[in-house]
Amino acid sequence: MSLTPATVPKPPALWQQQQARLATYTKAHYNFDLDRISEYNAANGWRVDDYETTLPAEAPGPPAPHGSWQAAQEVLRNYTFPPPDLITGIFAPDAPLEDRTMILRGRFLLFTFWFGVRTGKVTDETRNTPTGPEQVWGYSYSTLEGHFERGRIEFTIHKQLNSGQVTFHIHAVSQVGRIRNPFYWLGFKLFGRMLQRRFARESIRRMQDQVAAALKGEAGTA
């Protein structure tokens, strides 16, 4: 008589494992005054960063179905572009993108940190620029209580409708938050800026790789 191996139950998804944390951060407040975001600059102690990279171009005109712009939009919506060995975004997959609460699991050396952020208004518009109209889609998220930083980061996909050029932009305004643990404070002071730059650099590379894979019809991520 043959024995059928027992079926191994599938472990719950990461967002299901973290439902208690998600619920806690849903009630959390921002750790800075979001209404004054336009005032924050280097002169008053805030760091302002901008990064940009080109993605495969399209034909002139509106974003093409299954083209570079739409592929980047999907990558951005699913938050798969950050380097997973540094940052993993955890959120309920059926939650609306606007006002979505997300946990960021940060890893550095032997440490794991948990931070909360909340998505703001989703951008979906046509803008007039010196080089002509461009279609823009994206969103930002802002830091919640308990985060080692305070500020907002915005991710946007742009298509120049006249030329077909497609680009990915990252714009961040940040400042060191309140870190009660002196060991963590020192670590963030020594390595925080390096990790910010690594996040941006690797996010850009992964966005390029994932868009290229989507255009080739490949599954999976870089």
Side-chain angles (χ1 to χ4, degrees):
M1 179 173 121
S2 61
L3 297 177
T4 302
T7 301
V8 178
K10 186 177 180 180
L14 191 54
W15 73 270
Q16 293 173 315
Q17 298 174 34
Q18 298 298 329
Q19 285 190 75
R21 272 199 176 94
L22 278 170
T24 297
Y25 280 117
T26 298
K27 302 171 186 176
H29 299 288
Y30 296 111
N31 63 354
F32 69 105
D33 189 348
L34 187 58
D35 293 333
R36 299 179 60 190
I37 192 71
S38 62
E39 303 173 23
Y40 301 149
N41 53 49
N44 51 31
W46 290 78
R47 181 174 283 119
V48 180
D49 291 313
D50 286 284
Y51 302 89
E52 178 182 309
T53 190
T54 58
L55 299 172
E58 298 182 1
H66 312 295
S68 176
W69 191 89
Q70 286 195 0
Q73 183 186 44
E74 191 66 15
V75 172
L76 191 54
R77 186 189 302 276
N78 294 329
Y79 200 72
T80 56
F81 58 93
D85 59 335
L86 180 62
I87 292 289
T88 300
I90 304 168
F91 54 90
D94 58 348
L97 177 56
E98 193 162 310
D99 292 326
R100 180 170 74 188
T101 297
M102 181 163 62
I103 298 171
L104 301 181
R105 182 182 64 189
R107 287 173 167 167
F108 179 62
L109 299 177
L110 301 177
F111 302 99
T112 299
F113 305 97
W114 302 91
F115 304 120
V117 297
R118 185 171 298 127
T119 302
K121 182 179 179 181
V122 175
T123 298
D124 187 6
E125 62 188 18
T126 303
R127 296 177 183 172
N128 291 317
T129 74
T131 56
E134 67 176 15
Q135 189 68 33
V136 183
W137 187 91
Y139 60 86
S140 63
Y141 60 65
S142 301
T143 54
L144 301 176
E145 295 168 321
H147 204 297
F148 284 179
E149 290 182 293
R150 46 179 170 247
R152 185 174 74 179
I153 187 166
E154 182 179 31
F155 310 100
T156 48
I157 307 298
H158 302 242
K159 180 179 179 181
Q160 289 286 338
L161 302 185
N162 289 344
S163 68
Q165 177 178 286
V166 179
T167 52
F168 172 46
H169 296 235
I170 300 176
H171 173 73
V173 179
S174 64
Q175 188 182 68
V176 177
R178 186 177 181 184
I179 306 174
R180 291 186 172 89
N181 185 309
F183 180 75
Y184 291 163
W185 177 87
L186 179 60
F188 194 81
K189 186 174 180 63
L190 292 175
F191 300 107
R193 185 57 175 160
M194 176 193 73
L195 295 176
Q196 281 183 328
R197 288 172 172 157
R198 180 186 160 200
F199 171 85
R201 182 177 66 252
E202 295 191 21
S203 291
I204 282 174
R205 178 189 63 80
R206 285 174 56 82
M207 173 63 80
Q208 292 172 322
D209 290 347
Q210 290 182 39
V211 168
L215 296 179
K216 292 178 182 177
E218 297 174 6
T221 59

